[in-house]
Amino acid sequence: MKLQRKTRRALALGALAVSGALALTACGSDDTGKNNAGGDSSTAASNSSIKCDDAKGQLLADGSSAQKNAIDAWVKQFSQACGVQINYKGGGSGAGVTAFTQGQVAFAGSDSALKPEEVTASQKICTDGGQGIDLPMVGGPIAVGYNVPGVDSLVLDAPTLAKIFDSKIKNWDDAAIKKLNPDAKLPNLKIQAFHRSDESGTTDNFTKYLKAATPANWKYEGGKAWQAKGGQAAPQSSGVAQQVKQTEGAIGYFELSYAKDMTTVDINTGAAAPVKATVENATKAIADAKVVGTGSDLALQLNYNTKAEGAYPMVLVTYEIVCDKGNKADTLPATKAFLRYIASEEGQSILTANDYAPIPDAIISKVRTTIDGLS
């Protein structure tokens, strides 16, 4: 479109005035059947403080499927306000990092911080001596969903989870599961454990939890690629969730926003009571994270082995990955404007309404400062 920027913005604001109450209603994910509109999302659209600055054109991005429902909600708001088209593929953290280091996208999403070799690779496309950096933007629990007829509540601990996903516990009426669920009517049904087929930060964080909480039962090296034997694979969080929904006896892991219309496991962490996979309980765990990145990098160290009351230990933080210096001139204004919006108080407030956990204030304030300095 060849509209002048002022005209384009006027049209966008006009559209908001007409349809503010309906903002985000078209933003639901086909994978989850979820309408991403939260209780205050339409208000955010009609009273938005989004600063478009010189944002224009379109942005290509790829990465974490765990954050895709959040990205969809943000893109809806930002595009209406600024007229910028953002295409986020959500092909998984591994695909996103690869696309970023090959210069194919303006930014990437990853549920794991960049590895040293990935930082080195990014220096080839981040000019002016720049490199890729990690900006924590989305938090949330990794839910473990299951499909067992007649079982509406299920408690598992780290050793039992590890044995299930390592094909060492194969039936739902196994003695270890019965011990944790004495009142449940567990059927003589084969367990169908689903993991990610693509490289995934969700896998990385899920297995980091198992390594930290039960090292004797999870001896794999870990990383974005699934390493345990057996089980079944499906692509992306949406694929795993869909398989669990339609397969009797199934169990799988995915971000909470993909767990709609299914039951999820409560985790026995050793605290007084098992902990549910909720945004609030995940926030309690994320608040205990430490910034371990250097310079502009804000990579976090999570405490997967927490036993704090009410703290859900299987959490992930999704990073937006961008060059600290040397971003492409034609996409930098839109990239900064979008990142500034999603890190803002308004942008972060949308997360809770969509089953994600906002990044704690002490960390997100550093993210905002870093975004302002991107060049």
Side-chain angles (χ1 to χ4, degrees), residues 86-294:
I86 300 177
N87 180 8
Y88 182 81
K89 293 182 180 180
S93 297
V97 172
T98 297
F100 177 75
T101 56
Q102 292 179 352
Q104 298 172 356
V105 294
F107 68 93
S110 176
D111 306 322
S112 301
L114 290 169
K115 297 177 181 178
E117 61 268 25
E118 293 168 339
V119 173
T120 299
S122 73
Q123 293 170 349
K124 298 178 182 179
I125 58 101
C126 298
T127 59
D128 301 328
Q131 65 181 39
I133 57 172
D134 302 289
L135 301 177
M137 203 71 75
V138 181
I142 300 174
V144 177
Y146 67 95
N147 181 351
V148 182
V151 181
D152 298 324
S153 177
L154 186 69
V155 175
L156 297 176
D157 56 14
T160 307
L161 268 175
K163 292 174 184 177
I164 287 173
F165 280 92
D166 198 21
S167 301
K168 293 178 180 177
I169 291 179
K170 300 181 180 182
N171 254 50
W172 280 108
D173 60 352
D174 186 272
I177 303 177
K178 283 184 175 180
K179 184 176 181 180
L180 291 165
N181 300 273
D183 298 326
K185 295 181 180 179
L186 295 164
N188 181 11
L189 178 65
K190 182 181 178 181
I191 294 174
Q192 307 279 355
F194 284 90
H195 57 265
R196 290 281 290 272
S197 60
D198 53 324
E199 289 199 355
S200 161
T202 309
T203 292
D204 192 15
N205 285 277
F206 178 63
T207 56
K208 279 179 178 176
Y209 160 72
L210 295 176
K211 285 178 64 178
T214 183
N217 293 295
W218 196 263
K219 299 183 179 181
Y220 299 99
E221 184 177 327
K224 293 187 179 75
W226 185 258
Q227 297 173 345
K229 306 301 181 184
Q232 301 183 60
Q236 305 174 11
S237 293
S238 58
V240 175
Q242 185 60 37
Q243 289 297 323
V244 172
K245 286 182 182 180
Q246 68 187 25
T247 306
E248 194 170 284
I251 187 171
Y253 59 92
F254 29 77
E255 207 278 333
L256 182 62
S257 66
Y258 291 92
K260 298 304 175 185
D261 304 320
M262 72 173 77
T263 45
T264 59
V265 171
D266 297 343
I267 302 300
N268 182 343
T269 64
V275 186
K276 294 185 177 297
T278 67
V279 168
E280 294 76 15
N281 292 344
T283 298
K284 293 176 183 177
I286 295 172
D288 195 32
K290 299 178 181 179
V291 175
V292 294
T294 58

